[in-house]
Amino acid sequence: MKPDRKAAIFPGSFDPFTLGHMDVLRSALKLFDKIYIAVGYNHLKHGFLPPQTRVALIQDAVRPLIESGADIEVLSYTGLTVNLCREKNTGFIIRGLRTTTDFELESVIAQANRKMQPETVTVFIPASHSYSFISSTVVRDVIINGGDAAPFMPTNIRIEDYLNKTI
């Protein structure tokens, strides 16, 4: 089956979802009609936020975009991203880049994905300069150490509402 060339998977751990992720998503919406934000997780690893909490946080963060007409679906998955592409009949994987180091790592992953599934193309979208320093790792560190994470999170999200919450 030929992939729907208007849809893309935006995979990541999104632990937590930040303004940098939102920035890449906004750029991707200029290229694609539908975007699946795919929260990847490994059952053997313990993340900062449980996968279902990450999905809920992202759904809340992107709600204003959906209400203004964007076709975004948030889901969680395990396994290979190329398998999710096949399942969702998409031809593209979106990867956000902050630094040249990100590009080097993401390029290797994109080549492996292309080898496994040649019809799937990875699209690299650089974060805007004003968000290029934001990473989930930095945001987690701020949260864990009692700092204010609000400057790094989508404006309609209060991370405190998602901490220690079972969804």
Side-chain angles (χ1 to χ4, degrees):
M1 179 186 276
K2 185 176 179 179
D4 179 354
R5 294 293 178 184
K6 304 256 187 204
I9 303 285
F10 182 17
S13 61
F14 305 113
D15 193 19
F17 192 76
T18 69
L19 281 174
H21 297 124
M22 185 66 85
D23 180 60
V24 170
L25 175 63
R26 287 180 189 278
S27 294
L29 285 167
K30 295 175 184 175
L31 301 172
F32 300 100
D33 297 326
K34 180 172 185 81
I35 297 177
Y36 296 94
I37 302 175
V39 176
Y41 67 98
N42 181 331
H43 294 293
L44 302 176
K45 294 182 180 178
H46 178 71
F48 177 65
L49 295 171
Q52 60 271 34
T53 300
R54 290 183 240 164
V55 167
L57 186 153
I58 296 167
Q59 287 171 330
D60 292 343
V62 302
R63 184 166 287 114
L65 295 173
I66 293 170
E67 288 171 352
S68 37
D71 191 356
I72 300 169
E73 183 178 329
V74 185
L75 53 91
S76 64
Y77 76 107
T78 59
L80 297 173
T81 303
V82 291
N83 290 342
L84 181 63
C85 289
R86 193 174 298 113
E87 178 186 321
K88 294 296 182 184
N89 196 33
T90 63
F92 295 95
I93 298 171
I94 299 163
R95 297 303 297 164
L97 301 175
R98 293 175 297 120
T99 64
T100 55
T101 304
D102 284 352
F103 176 75
E104 290 174 10
L105 173 64
E106 294 296 343
S107 180
V108 169
I109 295 168
Q111 290 173 30
N113 286 338
R114 192 75 182 254
K115 186 72 171 173
M116 289 184 286
Q117 190 163 306
E119 64 275 14
T120 300
V121 175
T122 299
V123 177
F124 298 119
I125 299 179
S128 299
H129 180 68
S130 55
Y131 300 114
S132 64
F133 70 96
I134 300 173
S135 72
S136 291
T137 303
V138 168
V139 175
R140 280 193 309 270
D141 193 47
V142 169
I143 295 165
I144 289 167
N145 289 291
D148 180 12
F152 312 112
M153 304 292 296
T155 55
N156 60 331
I157 297 299
R158 281 180 16 91
I159 192 65
E160 297 80 12
D161 294 341
Y162 301 89
L163 298 175
N164 303 317
K165 183 177 184 179
T166 303
I167 295 178

